[in-house]
Amino acid sequence: MATRPFRAGTRVSQELLDVTFIDHMIPAATAGTYTIGLEHVLTQGETPVDSSDPLPRTVERFEIRVPQFMLDGACVQALYPPRGADGDFRHVLPHITLTREYLPWAREPKWSLAQRRAPWLALMLFRAGELPDDPEALGQTTQRTVCELGADDDEAVLGPDLSGLDDPPLAGNCRTIDVPASVFKAVLPREQELYYLAHVRDVDEPKLLADGEILTKGTFSVITANRFPRGEGAYAAHLVSLEGFAGHLGGILPPKVEYVRLASLWSWSFRNDPSAAFDAAGILAGLVAPGNTDAENLALRLPRPANAPDAPSTHEAHALERLHLGYVPVPHRLITGEHTYAWYRGPFTPLTAQDVPALDTSTPHTTADFALVYDPAYGVFDVSYAAAWTLGRTVALADPSYGREVARARRQLANTAVRMMAVAHDPARSTAGVPSADTSAFGLSALARLADRRGGRTLTEALGAPQLPQEMTPDTVPLARPARAAARATLDEDAPAAALLSVASHQAGKLTDRLTELSVLRSVPFSYLVPDVRMLPPESLRLFRVDPVWIDALLAGARDVAVHTSLDERCDRSLRAATHSGDRSGYPAAGLLMRSELVSAWPDMIIVGEKDTRELTEVRRDVLAPDMLLCLFDDVPERVLIREPSEGIHFGIDTEDSGREVIGLRQLADGQDPPLGATLPGQYLPAAPDTVFSAFLRPPQDGGIPDVLCLEGDSGLIKPLAQAHSLPDLSPAQLAVQLVNAPLEQRLVPGQGS
């Protein structure tokens, strides 16, 4: 049984996660020993009937056990920052995720009111040099018995009140840390703050996240620390038990106490290194900045030459127009041997490419000359489609399995066609149709004639009978040999055409898969996609459309392998039909290229293309190099969103564009726009010029320990955060929603800047 006074749901990182935050889950019975008594009372009216001989009373005792001084590793789902991590965690509040959703509330804390139920666990963060047991903040602990944890024989050490415990718990072992009194008072959450630092996470969809945290479907408890690891160096996080410290959680300790001894149920360490900070927000903003002034600056083309004249001549204007269309000049050797230059453009174009009516890829070719485009006005060739056809042929021949399959398919088709043409004018040929896949059936008519002419005898009798004299042997009647054109014309009839298509379909399975891969430009060298490195300089983002004619030429080159005879050319139409050639439905329509160190830092970054209200399908996505990302869509997007990949749900604060540390407010009202849990654009806390660190930290004089978040009181975070949402107070789930780090996002709207 559990109480859920507030259930706040939010989709974190939108399509990646579906997580609900819940205040707490309080079990109907907490840890302890319980007695159940059962007795039978028989009465007549109000008079006992069995008072002289009552039925026996039954009493049963049972115990609900919950981890108290040790925690099994199976109870820990995830840690953040990860164990041993080294990075910039200045804006993060560390947390631990537990597989047992009831665990933080399964033991009864004596200091907690029922309506604001606090957990008996707390996550405390210590910097190197603050713990004598762990001076280097490696997460080390000292093993002691539970009896030694109480520290009853040392006035300088305050341990938990273990009254009520007896053997064997007192003899058991536990892991402990001795916290200096000043550090304990400075870091420990106050009684009222503990309520906000634990909540429940309900995961609807399992996900494996970039930092290794596995969000398994189910319900988990989360305990968050109240200190930011802002200083450079090592930090140790300890999940500690607060049982037995009633009366001391407000920072009030006996005068002689120098250390507070705590049971550490789990610990880990990480290192904060701000100097190694990766400015992802700045890099992402820099990638899209050229499009803020003119979206054409993000088009995939060579930049206009710096020495281009303001008033170009006709020839110069033509060359500049070619560059604007995405072409680059390349060396070209004519068939006559002269060396000149030609224009080349890959499949990625800055503008919509027009169809080329003269480029016929519906029939096979043996050379790329058919795809050469000549500009008679300037005497220059466009070799784009010829290069695509040649590349397709080269890629196909480089794959032994593809070459073997396509050659086998063509030979099978040619042999089938020859058989059908051989019997095309046989008067005994069945008029009911030609059998399809079984090509051996095309010789049955000859066997039928042989059987008809044996005079009714069995074949054995006919072969053993005396031969007829020569003069009695009937003259053979030769069949008329049809003309080649007439024989091939019979292949267009329904039955032969169906037979050829059946043979082609039987052979085309692997060929179709290979052509499908080519249709999304796999196996195409990068130099064919981006022919000049100046089109995609370092730290740049480029948008483009995809030329379907270029892909047609590429596929034609691969398909035209092993076409040697005119019969191969005639049978090619069956092979094309079987491989669905000419169908552009699987072609990509547009995409983007990114060349940036952001790719290696965020290999799983989220890129979403949108058109109208539809999210486009991602046809292909590949990291082509450590700093190079290619993404192709099935349509031309009106908007492109680039988001930081989810690195697990973690809690902390955000930063404005100016770098001011703030909390980006999220929607807490259900049924509103934006929806519950979504970021409220432009709404931050606190107001400028304050930051979270200047407005909501405990005073550094409090024990000399900095960076501890203050939640309660007039100077705490809870009150102004609740007021920002017009609420009298916040619940743990609402605070968790607010502190979820918002992922970075950049929106591109081609034609309108970004």
Side-chain angles (χ1 to χ4, degrees), residues 656-679:
E656 279 188 311
D657 295 338
S658 62
R660 188 171 67 97
E661 296 92 350
V662 295
I663 294 177
L665 300 183
R666 291 178 177 269
Q667 179 67 267
L668 294 182
D670 201 1
Q672 301 293 320
D673 186 23
L676 178 66
T679 301

Side-chain angles (χ1 to χ4, degrees), residues 305-638:
N307 59 352
D310 295 332
S313 64
T314 303
H315 293 76
E316 292 171 336
H318 173 73
L320 292 174
E321 177 64 18
R322 282 281 175 166
L323 295 180
H324 183 75
L325 294 175
Y327 286 90
V328 297
V330 294
H332 181 52
R333 182 178 180 181
L334 300 176
I335 194 172
T336 54
E338 294 93 338
H339 290 273
T340 180
Y341 82 94
W343 292 109
Y344 172 78
R345 185 190 65 195
F348 302 156
T349 68
L351 303 173
T352 302
Q354 296 182 348
D355 282 340
V356 183
L359 189 66
D360 183 14
T361 58
S362 61
T363 57
H365 302 273
T366 56
T367 69
D369 292 347
F370 81 100
L372 283 172
V373 180
Y374 182 67
D375 184 354
Y378 296 94
V380 179
F381 281 98
D382 178 347
V383 298
S384 304
Y385 302 118
W389 186 91
T390 303
L391 175 63
R393 189 178 185 87
T394 303
V395 170
L397 292 175
D399 184 350
S401 62
Y402 177 84
R404 183 168 54 252
E405 292 294 331
V406 71
R408 181 185 296 116
R410 293 199 186 281
R411 297 288 70 76
Q412 190 73 16
L413 284 169
N415 292 339
T416 302
V418 168
R419 293 191 188 99
M420 289 191 295
M421 289 189 297
V423 298
H425 292 272
D426 185 352
R429 185 176 62 135
S430 172
T431 59
V434 181
S436 58
D438 187 5
T439 56
S440 63
F442 296 120
L444 291 180
S445 59
L447 292 177
R449 291 196 304 275
L450 178 61
D452 289 341
R453 296 177 182 179
R454 61 183 172 82
R457 295 172 294 176
T458 65
L459 186 59
T460 302
E461 294 173 344
L463 293 176
Q467 294 185 352
L468 295 175
Q470 181 68 31
E471 62 274 8
M472 298 182 62
T473 303
D475 296 334
T476 59
V477 181
L479 297 176
R481 181 181 180 88
R484 176 180 297 180
R488 290 192 175 179
T490 61
L491 298 179
D492 294 328
E493 298 176 4
D494 292 343
L500 288 175
L501 181 59
S502 176
V503 173
S505 300
H506 182 70
Q507 299 289 331
K510 295 181 180 179
L511 303 182
T512 303
D513 295 340
R514 192 68 178 92
L515 293 175
T516 300
E517 290 183 359
L518 271 181
S519 69
V520 294
L521 304 174
R522 297 192 186 278
S523 302
V524 175
F526 186 74
S527 58
Y528 280 79
L529 303 177
V530 182
D532 195 307
V533 295
R534 292 171 293 175
M535 302 174 74
L536 189 65
E539 295 304 323
S540 64
L541 174 70
R542 293 294 182 263
L543 306 176
F544 54 82
R545 301 194 180 202
V546 180
D547 182 4
V549 180
W550 200 97
I551 300 180
D552 286 343
L554 176 73
L555 297 181
R559 241 184 353 252
D560 294 349
V561 169
V563 175
H564 302 298
T565 66
S566 59
L567 185 58
D568 288 337
E569 183 177 347
R570 167 59 189 78
C571 295
D572 184 70
R573 68 183 67 174
S574 300
L575 191 59
R576 287 172 178 267
T579 56
H580 307 289
S581 299
D583 181 7
R584 294 180 175 179
S585 60
Y587 288 10
L592 65 83
L593 276 164
M594 180 185 295
R595 184 182 179 188
S596 170
E597 62 176 322
L598 198 64
V599 176
S600 57
W602 291 354
D604 298 320
M605 74 176 72
I606 304 162
I607 300 178
V608 179
E610 297 178 342
K611 185 173 184 179
D612 298 328
T613 59
R614 182 175 74 92
E615 183 176 310
L616 302 184
T617 300
E618 196 175 77
V619 177
R620 179 188 172 191
R621 179 196 177 103
D622 276 313
V623 176
L624 305 178
D627 65 341
M628 193 87 65
L629 175 68
L630 169 66
C631 188
L632 301 177
F633 301 110
D634 66 337
D635 203 344
V636 180
E638 296 175 348

Side-chain angles (χ1 to χ4, degrees), residues 227-249:
R227 185 180 183 185
F228 294 96
R230 293 178 66 197
E232 182 177 359
Y235 285 84
H238 289 265
L239 180 66
V240 300
S241 169
L242 300 180
E243 271 198 309
F245 286 99
H248 302 297
L249 298 179

